[in-house]
Amino acid sequence: MGNHNGDQPRAASCGILVTGHGRFAGGLVGAIEVIMGPQDGLRAVDFPETDTAAQLRDNLTRGLAALEDHDSVVVFCDLRGGSPFNVMNELRGTRNGVEIVYGVNLPLLLAFISERDRGESVGALIRSAVEDGHSGLGRFEAPAQATTPSDGDDDWA
Amino acid sequence: MGNHNGDQPRAASCGILVTGHGRFAGGLVGAIEVIMGPQDGLRAVDFPETDTAAQLRDNLTRGLAALEDHDSVVVFCDLRGGSPFNVMNELRGTRNGVEIVYGVNLPLLLAFISERDRGESVGALIRSAVEDGHSGLGRFEAPAQATTPSDGDDDWA
């Protein structure tokens, strides 16, 4: 392995699989690509309402197989619990180097992709990206405006 | 206002607008509806790559207008910064009762929708849902398996 300087681009060391209910995964991966452009080793596995759990399992199995040239795969799930997470957890042992992150948001995935080729361990990458996921999630505290009602205003119930 | 007991269902007091890059918003709202079924007062505004910022602004304006019978609107954005968040922030003052949450993930939105009709203030709903967004985001610490490499294994780089 090592670095290649030829025409063949080196595959990103860590593959990324995003999965969730409905079209969550495709929507999130599409948002990433709007912002960052096409990414190597990034796949979405959707679970539309019309699919069975067996179809989901097949699609996740294929998703992992498509990333087999990566040393490891981090799977980003919409939700802890629910079929995408549960089925992925069952499949986790089918190859080495599978890690699962749940409750993915865009800041987390942006951070992970931005950092994944810097040569850190997958564990360190996940820790750092999860931190960015937390710091990138919150209520926007806008500057005070005349239209802001006072705290406890009943109109907000 | 008050409670209605007639045929007309009472609109949920708090409208929800989800917006983000690409098809993020439609994907997230679709995932919610797969899990919870159709929801009153829940709208997605996508920002596909082919749209201009002016089109996004028009779509967000229409999204807010479609929720005008709600006392307040909470806007869930994919990312703090970026066009969906920035344009929404510009539009915030065009009606009362607009709150913005950024970095939305599925656990956050599920919690918000599950709780929104319990009569709490919007501020309390947001605080509680943001907590659920944080607690629902993390690295899955799987039970130890024979296939789990030891910490610091170089294969994980």
Side-chain angles (χ1 to χ4, degrees):
Chain A
M1 297 286 287
N3 289 323
H4 296 245
N5 295 313
D7 292 329
Q8 186 92 16
R10 192 174 72 89
S13 58
C14 177
I16 296 173
L17 191 59
V18 182
T19 186
H21 296 80
R23 306 281 178 196
F24 174 90
L28 181 56
V29 166
I32 288 284
E33 293 183 337
V34 164
I35 296 171
M36 305 180 78
Q39 298 296 313
D40 175 59
L42 169 62
R43 301 186 72 87
V45 174
D46 282 330
F47 183 41
E49 215 164 1
T50 49
D51 274 11
T52 63
Q55 285 171 301
L56 172 62
R57 190 183 177 92
D58 287 349
N59 291 334
L60 287 171
T61 301
R62 270 195 288 271
L64 285 180
L67 297 168
E68 66 185 357
D69 57 338
H70 297 269
D71 300 335
S72 55
V73 175
V74 182
V75 184
F76 295 89
C77 299
D78 57 348
L79 194 66
R80 182 167 181 157
S83 298
F85 172 89
N86 290 336
V87 173
M88 193 59 236
N89 192 28
E90 289 166 21
L91 294 173
R92 203 168 46 83
T94 61
R95 65 161 281 179
N96 279 325
V98 175
E99 291 276 351
I100 300 179
V101 174
Y102 52 88
V104 60
N105 61 359
L106 188 58
L108 192 165
L109 193 53
L110 277 175
F112 190 87
I113 293 173
S114 301
E115 302 290 328
R116 71 172 160 164
D117 290 325
R118 296 204 182 169
E120 283 183 278
S121 73
V122 171
L125 283 172
I126 292 175
R127 271 192 296 279
S128 169
V130 164
E131 277 177 23
D132 286 346
H134 284 296
S135 62
L137 183 164
R139 176 186 191 163
F140 179 55
E141 304 288 352
Q145 290 193 341
T147 55
T148 304
S150 60
D151 279 352
D153 190 317
D154 284 340
D155 291 346
W156 286 60
Chain B
M1 298 287 286
N3 290 323
H4 296 244
N5 295 313
D7 291 330
Q8 185 92 16
R10 194 173 72 88
S13 58
C14 178
I16 296 173
L17 192 59
V18 181
T19 186
H21 296 81
R23 305 283 179 193
F24 174 90
L28 181 55
V29 166
I32 288 283
E33 293 184 335
V34 165
I35 296 170
M36 305 180 78
Q39 297 296 312
D40 175 60
L42 169 62
R43 301 185 73 86
V45 173
D46 282 329
F47 182 41
E49 216 164 359
T50 49
D51 274 11
T52 63
Q55 285 171 301
L56 173 62
R57 191 182 177 91
D58 286 349
N59 291 335
L60 287 171
T61 301
R62 268 195 289 270
L64 285 180
L67 297 167
E68 67 185 355
D69 58 339
H70 296 268
D71 300 334
S72 55
V73 175
V74 181
V75 183
F76 294 89
C77 298
D78 57 349
L79 195 66
R80 182 167 181 158
S83 298
F85 173 88
N86 290 336
V87 173
M88 194 60 235
N89 192 27
E90 289 165 21
L91 294 173
R92 203 169 46 83
T94 60
R95 64 161 281 177
N96 279 325
V98 175
E99 291 277 350
I100 300 179
V101 173
Y102 52 88
V104 60
N105 62 359
L106 188 59
L108 192 166
L109 193 54
L110 277 175
F112 190 87
I113 293 173
S114 301
E115 301 290 328
R116 71 171 160 164
D117 289 323
R118 296 204 182 170
E120 283 183 278
S121 73
V122 171
L125 283 172
I126 292 175
R127 271 192 296 279
S128 169
V130 165
E131 278 177 23
D132 286 347
H134 284 297
S135 63
L137 184 164
R139 176 187 192 163
F140 179 55
E141 304 288 351
Q145 290 192 342
T147 55
T148 304
S150 60
D151 279 351
D153 190 317
D154 284 340
D155 292 345
W156 286 60

PDB file of all heavy atoms in Angstrom, chain B residues 66-89:
ATOM      1  N   ALA B  66     -47.206  29.006   4.367  1.00  0.00           N
ATOM      2  CA  ALA B  66     -48.069  27.821   4.465  1.00  0.00           C
ATOM      3  C   ALA B  66     -48.322  27.425   5.914  1.00  0.00           C
ATOM      4  O   ALA B  66     -49.247  26.661   6.196  1.00  0.00           O
ATOM      5  CB  ALA B  66     -47.436  26.656   3.712  1.00  0.00           C
ATOM      6  N   LEU B  67     -47.503  27.942   6.841  1.00  0.00           N
ATOM      7  CA  LEU B  67     -47.651  27.627   8.264  1.00  0.00           C
ATOM      8  C   LEU B  67     -48.205  28.814   9.043  1.00  0.00           C
ATOM      9  O   LEU B  67     -48.066  28.893  10.266  1.00  0.00           O
ATOM     10  CB  LEU B  67     -46.291  27.188   8.836  1.00  0.00           C
ATOM     11  CG  LEU B  67     -45.705  25.908   8.214  1.00  0.00           C
ATOM     12  CD1 LEU B  67     -44.244  25.731   8.609  1.00  0.00           C
ATOM     13  CD2 LEU B  67     -46.514  24.678   8.626  1.00  0.00           C
ATOM     14  N   GLU B  68     -48.865  29.732   8.334  1.00  0.00           N
ATOM     15  CA  GLU B  68     -49.268  30.996   8.983  1.00  0.00           C
ATOM     16  C   GLU B  68     -50.352  30.797  10.034  1.00  0.00           C
ATOM     17  O   GLU B  68     -50.527  31.639  10.899  1.00  0.00           O
ATOM     18  CB  GLU B  68     -49.692  32.039   7.950  1.00  0.00           C
ATOM     19  CG  GLU B  68     -50.962  31.690   7.206  1.00  0.00           C
ATOM     20  CD  GLU B  68     -51.297  32.683   6.091  1.00  0.00           C
ATOM     21  OE1 GLU B  68     -50.580  33.687   5.961  1.00  0.00           O
ATOM     22  OE2 GLU B  68     -52.266  32.430   5.355  1.00  0.00           O
ATOM     23  N   ASP B  69     -51.078  29.678   9.980  1.00  0.00           N
ATOM     24  CA  ASP B  69     -52.112  29.457  11.003  1.00  0.00           C
ATOM     25  C   ASP B  69     -51.547  28.835  12.279  1.00  0.00           C
ATOM     26  O   ASP B  69     -52.300  28.514  13.199  1.00  0.00           O
ATOM     27  CB  ASP B  69     -53.265  28.616  10.456  1.00  0.00           C
ATOM     28  CG  ASP B  69     -52.801  27.265   9.938  1.00  0.00           C
ATOM     29  OD1 ASP B  69     -51.600  27.141   9.630  1.00  0.00           O
ATOM     30  OD2 ASP B  69     -53.627  26.338   9.836  1.00  0.00           O
ATOM     31  N   HIS B  70     -50.244  28.672  12.326  1.00  0.00           N
ATOM     32  CA  HIS B  70     -49.604  28.174  13.552  1.00  0.00           C
ATOM     33  C   HIS B  70     -49.082  29.367  14.351  1.00  0.00           C
ATOM     34  O   HIS B  70     -48.605  30.338  13.782  1.00  0.00           O
ATOM     35  CB  HIS B  70     -48.455  27.222  13.210  1.00  0.00           C
ATOM     36  CG  HIS B  70     -48.949  25.983  12.504  1.00  0.00           C
ATOM     37  ND1 HIS B  70     -49.293  24.842  13.172  1.00  0.00           N
ATOM     38  CD2 HIS B  70     -49.183  25.741  11.198  1.00  0.00           C
ATOM     39  CE1 HIS B  70     -49.706  23.929  12.301  1.00  0.00           C
ATOM     40  NE2 HIS B  70     -49.649  24.454  11.099  1.00  0.00           N
ATOM     41  N   ASP B  71     -49.189  29.254  15.670  1.00  0.00           N
ATOM     42  CA  ASP B  71     -48.762  30.359  16.520  1.00  0.00           C
ATOM     43  C   ASP B  71     -47.279  30.660  16.355  1.00  0.00           C
ATOM     44  O   ASP B  71     -46.828  31.784  16.532  1.00  0.00           O
ATOM     45  CB  ASP B  71     -49.011  30.015  17.995  1.00  0.00           C
ATOM     46  CG  ASP B  71     -50.476  29.741  18.280  1.00  0.00           C
ATOM     47  OD1 ASP B  71     -51.333  30.264  17.528  1.00  0.00           O
ATOM     48  OD2 ASP B  71     -50.753  28.997  19.238  1.00  0.00           O
ATOM     49  N   SER B  72     -46.530  29.647  16.060  1.00  0.00           N
ATOM     50  CA  SER B  72     -45.084  29.812  15.919  1.00  0.00           C
ATOM     51  C   SER B  72     -44.583  28.777  14.914  1.00  0.00           C
ATOM     52  O   SER B  72     -45.296  27.832  14.574  1.00  0.00           O
ATOM     53  CB  SER B  72     -44.387  29.618  17.273  1.00  0.00           C
ATOM     54  OG  SER B  72     -44.743  28.357  17.813  1.00  0.00           O
ATOM     55  N   VAL B  73     -43.373  29.002  14.439  1.00  0.00           N
ATOM     56  CA  VAL B  73     -42.738  28.065  13.502  1.00  0.00           C
ATOM     57  C   VAL B  73     -41.313  27.820  13.987  1.00  0.00           C
ATOM     58  O   VAL B  73     -40.567  28.773  14.223  1.00  0.00           O
ATOM     59  CB  VAL B  73     -42.694  28.612  12.066  1.00  0.00           C
ATOM     60  CG1 VAL B  73     -41.925  27.666  11.143  1.00  0.00           C
ATOM     61  CG2 VAL B  73     -44.109  28.836  11.519  1.00  0.00           C
ATOM     62  N   VAL B  74     -40.955  26.558  14.132  1.00  0.00           N
ATOM     63  CA  VAL B  74     -39.567  26.226  14.421  1.00  0.00           C
ATOM     64  C   VAL B  74     -38.948  25.699  13.129  1.00  0.00           C
ATOM     65  O   VAL B  74     -39.481  24.783  12.504  1.00  0.00           O
ATOM     66  CB  VAL B  74     -39.431  25.203  15.561  1.00  0.00           C
ATOM     67  CG1 VAL B  74     -37.955  24.921  15.834  1.00  0.00           C
ATOM     68  CG2 VAL B  74     -40.124  25.715  16.812  1.00  0.00           C
ATOM     69  N   VAL B  75     -37.852  26.337  12.736  1.00  0.00           N
ATOM     70  CA  VAL B  75     -37.168  25.966  11.510  1.00  0.00           C
ATOM     71  C   VAL B  75     -35.940  25.134  11.879  1.00  0.00           C
ATOM     72  O   VAL B  75     -35.094  25.574  12.665  1.00  0.00           O
ATOM     73  CB  VAL B  75     -36.736  27.213  10.714  1.00  0.00           C
ATOM     74  CG1 VAL B  75     -36.097  26.800   9.395  1.00  0.00           C
ATOM     75  CG2 VAL B  75     -37.934  28.132  10.467  1.00  0.00           C
ATOM     76  N   PHE B  76     -35.870  23.953  11.327  1.00  0.00           N
ATOM     77  CA  PHE B  76     -34.754  23.035  11.587  1.00  0.00           C
ATOM     78  C   PHE B  76     -33.860  23.026  10.359  1.00  0.00           C
ATOM     79  O   PHE B  76     -34.277  22.592   9.280  1.00  0.00           O
ATOM     80  CB  PHE B  76     -35.284  21.630  11.893  1.00  0.00           C
ATOM     81  CG  PHE B  76     -36.076  21.552  13.167  1.00  0.00           C
ATOM     82  CD1 PHE B  76     -37.447  21.788  13.167  1.00  0.00           C
ATOM     83  CD2 PHE B  76     -35.455  21.268  14.368  1.00  0.00           C
ATOM     84  CE1 PHE B  76     -38.177  21.725  14.356  1.00  0.00           C
ATOM     85  CE2 PHE B  76     -36.183  21.206  15.561  1.00  0.00           C
ATOM     86  CZ  PHE B  76     -37.539  21.439  15.546  1.00  0.00           C
ATOM     87  N   CYS B  77     -32.638  23.514  10.516  1.00  0.00           N
ATOM     88  CA  CYS B  77     -31.685  23.631   9.402  1.00  0.00           C
ATOM     89  C   CYS B  77     -30.633  22.529   9.503  1.00  0.00           C
ATOM     90  O   CYS B  77     -30.269  22.094  10.597  1.00  0.00           O
ATOM     91  CB  CYS B  77     -30.969  24.976   9.450  1.00  0.00           C
ATOM     92  SG  CYS B  77     -32.079  26.392   9.280  1.00  0.00           S
ATOM     93  N   ASP B  78     -30.100  22.155   8.353  1.00  0.00           N
ATOM     94  CA  ASP B  78     -29.063  21.120   8.319  1.00  0.00           C
ATOM     95  C   ASP B  78     -27.774  21.572   8.983  1.00  0.00           C
ATOM     96  O   ASP B  78     -27.059  20.763   9.575  1.00  0.00           O
ATOM     97  CB  ASP B  78     -28.803  20.648   6.881  1.00  0.00           C
ATOM     98  CG  ASP B  78     -28.399  21.753   5.920  1.00  0.00           C
ATOM     99  OD1 ASP B  78     -28.501  22.952   6.278  1.00  0.00           O
ATOM    100  OD2 ASP B  78     -27.977  21.419   4.792  1.00  0.00           O
ATOM    101  N   LEU B  79     -27.479  22.872   8.915  1.00  0.00           N
ATOM    102  CA  LEU B  79     -26.138  23.367   9.222  1.00  0.00           C
ATOM    103  C   LEU B  79     -26.215  24.839   9.606  1.00  0.00           C
ATOM    104  O   LEU B  79     -26.931  25.614   8.961  1.00  0.00           O
ATOM    105  CB  LEU B  79     -25.304  23.240   7.936  1.00  0.00           C
ATOM    106  CG  LEU B  79     -23.810  23.332   7.980  1.00  0.00           C
ATOM    107  CD1 LEU B  79     -23.234  22.154   8.760  1.00  0.00           C
ATOM    108  CD2 LEU B  79     -23.261  23.327   6.558  1.00  0.00           C
ATOM    109  N   ARG B  80     -25.486  25.215  10.648  1.00  0.00           N
ATOM    110  CA  ARG B  80     -25.353  26.640  10.941  1.00  0.00           C
ATOM    111  C   ARG B  80     -24.404  27.232   9.910  1.00  0.00           C
ATOM    112  O   ARG B  80     -23.264  26.766   9.753  1.00  0.00           O
ATOM    113  CB  ARG B  80     -24.789  26.828  12.340  1.00  0.00           C
ATOM    114  CG  ARG B  80     -24.688  28.283  12.716  1.00  0.00           C
ATOM    115  CD  ARG B  80     -24.425  28.479  14.186  1.00  0.00           C
ATOM    116  NE  ARG B  80     -24.358  29.895  14.481  1.00  0.00           N
ATOM    117  CZ  ARG B  80     -24.553  30.429  15.678  1.00  0.00           C
ATOM    118  NH1 ARG B  80     -24.808  29.651  16.702  1.00  0.00           N
ATOM    119  NH2 ARG B  80     -24.488  31.726  15.857  1.00  0.00           N
ATOM    120  N   GLY B  81     -24.848  28.289   9.238  1.00  0.00           N
ATOM    121  CA  GLY B  81     -24.102  28.784   8.086  1.00  0.00           C
ATOM    122  C   GLY B  81     -24.577  28.021   6.867  1.00  0.00           C
ATOM    123  O   GLY B  81     -25.265  27.003   6.991  1.00  0.00           O
ATOM    124  N   GLY B  82     -24.220  28.484   5.691  1.00  0.00           N
ATOM    125  CA  GLY B  82     -24.770  27.885   4.480  1.00  0.00           C
ATOM    126  C   GLY B  82     -26.069  28.577   4.128  1.00  0.00           C
ATOM    127  O   GLY B  82     -26.727  29.183   4.981  1.00  0.00           O
ATOM    128  N   SER B  83     -26.472  28.478   2.877  1.00  0.00           N
ATOM    129  CA  SER B  83     -27.611  29.260   2.393  1.00  0.00           C
ATOM    130  C   SER B  83     -28.926  28.976   3.118  1.00  0.00           C
ATOM    131  O   SER B  83     -29.637  29.921   3.467  1.00  0.00           O
ATOM    132  CB  SER B  83     -27.782  29.051   0.889  1.00  0.00           C
ATOM    133  OG  SER B  83     -26.641  29.510   0.209  1.00  0.00           O
ATOM    134  N   PRO B  84     -29.319  27.720   3.343  1.00  0.00           N
ATOM    135  CA  PRO B  84     -30.624  27.524   3.982  1.00  0.00           C
ATOM    136  C   PRO B  84     -30.720  28.227   5.345  1.00  0.00           C
ATOM    137  O   PRO B  84     -31.697  28.926   5.624  1.00  0.00           O
ATOM    138  CB  PRO B  84     -30.734  25.991   4.099  1.00  0.00           C
ATOM    139  CG  PRO B  84     -29.906  25.490   2.956  1.00  0.00           C
ATOM    140  CD  PRO B  84     -28.732  26.440   2.895  1.00  0.00           C
ATOM    141  N   PHE B  85     -29.699  28.070   6.159  1.00  0.00           N
ATOM    142  CA  PHE B  85     -29.692  28.738   7.462  1.00  0.00           C
ATOM    143  C   PHE B  85     -29.634  30.262   7.291  1.00  0.00           C
ATOM    144  O   PHE B  85     -30.382  30.999   7.948  1.00  0.00           O
ATOM    145  CB  PHE B  85     -28.483  28.261   8.279  1.00  0.00           C
ATOM    146  CG  PHE B  85     -28.276  28.993   9.575  1.00  0.00           C
ATOM    147  CD1 PHE B  85     -28.897  28.563  10.742  1.00  0.00           C
ATOM    148  CD2 PHE B  85     -27.453  30.110   9.631  1.00  0.00           C
ATOM    149  CE1 PHE B  85     -28.698  29.240  11.937  1.00  0.00           C
ATOM    150  CE2 PHE B  85     -27.255  30.792  10.822  1.00  0.00           C
ATOM    151  CZ  PHE B  85     -27.882  30.360  11.978  1.00  0.00           C
ATOM    152  N   ASN B  86     -28.753  30.726   6.443  1.00  0.00           N
ATOM    153  CA  ASN B  86     -28.558  32.178   6.319  1.00  0.00           C
ATOM    154  C   ASN B  86     -29.803  32.876   5.770  1.00  0.00           C
ATOM    155  O   ASN B  86     -30.203  33.933   6.268  1.00  0.00           O
ATOM    156  CB  ASN B  86     -27.354  32.472   5.416  1.00  0.00           C
ATOM    157  CG  ASN B  86     -26.042  32.085   6.074  1.00  0.00           C
ATOM    158  OD1 ASN B  86     -25.947  32.011   7.303  1.00  0.00           O
ATOM    159  ND2 ASN B  86     -25.024  31.815   5.264  1.00  0.00           N
ATOM    160  N   VAL B  87     -30.402  32.284   4.734  1.00  0.00           N
ATOM    161  CA  VAL B  87     -31.606  32.903   4.162  1.00  0.00           C
ATOM    162  C   VAL B  87     -32.739  32.855   5.183  1.00  0.00           C
ATOM    163  O   VAL B  87     -33.493  33.818   5.357  1.00  0.00           O
ATOM    164  CB  VAL B  87     -31.992  32.220   2.836  1.00  0.00           C
ATOM    165  CG1 VAL B  87     -33.331  32.745   2.329  1.00  0.00           C
ATOM    166  CG2 VAL B  87     -30.903  32.430   1.788  1.00  0.00           C
ATOM    167  N   MET B  88     -32.862  31.736   5.883  1.00  0.00           N
ATOM    168  CA  MET B  88     -33.914  31.637   6.898  1.00  0.00           C
ATOM    169  C   MET B  88     -33.719  32.675   7.978  1.00  0.00           C
ATOM    170  O   MET B  88     -34.691  33.276   8.461  1.00  0.00           O
ATOM    171  CB  MET B  88     -33.903  30.215   7.492  1.00  0.00           C
ATOM    172  CG  MET B  88     -35.141  29.915   8.289  1.00  0.00           C
ATOM    173  SD  MET B  88     -36.639  30.027   7.287  1.00  0.00           S
ATOM    174  CE  MET B  88     -37.564  31.216   8.268  1.00  0.00           C
ATOM    175  N   ASN B  89     -32.474  32.896   8.356  1.00  0.00           N
ATOM    176  CA  ASN B  89     -32.203  33.895   9.382  1.00  0.00           C
ATOM    177  C   ASN B  89     -32.610  35.293   8.914  1.00  0.00           C
ATOM    178  O   ASN B  89     -33.141  36.088   9.688  1.00  0.00           O
ATOM    179  CB  ASN B  89     -30.725  33.848   9.764  1.00  0.00           C
ATOM    180  CG  ASN B  89     -30.428  34.643  11.027  1.00  0.00           C
ATOM    181  OD1 ASN B  89     -31.303  34.815  11.881  1.00  0.00           O
ATOM    182  ND2 ASN B  89     -29.207  35.133  11.131  1.00  0.00           N
TER     183      ASN B  89
END
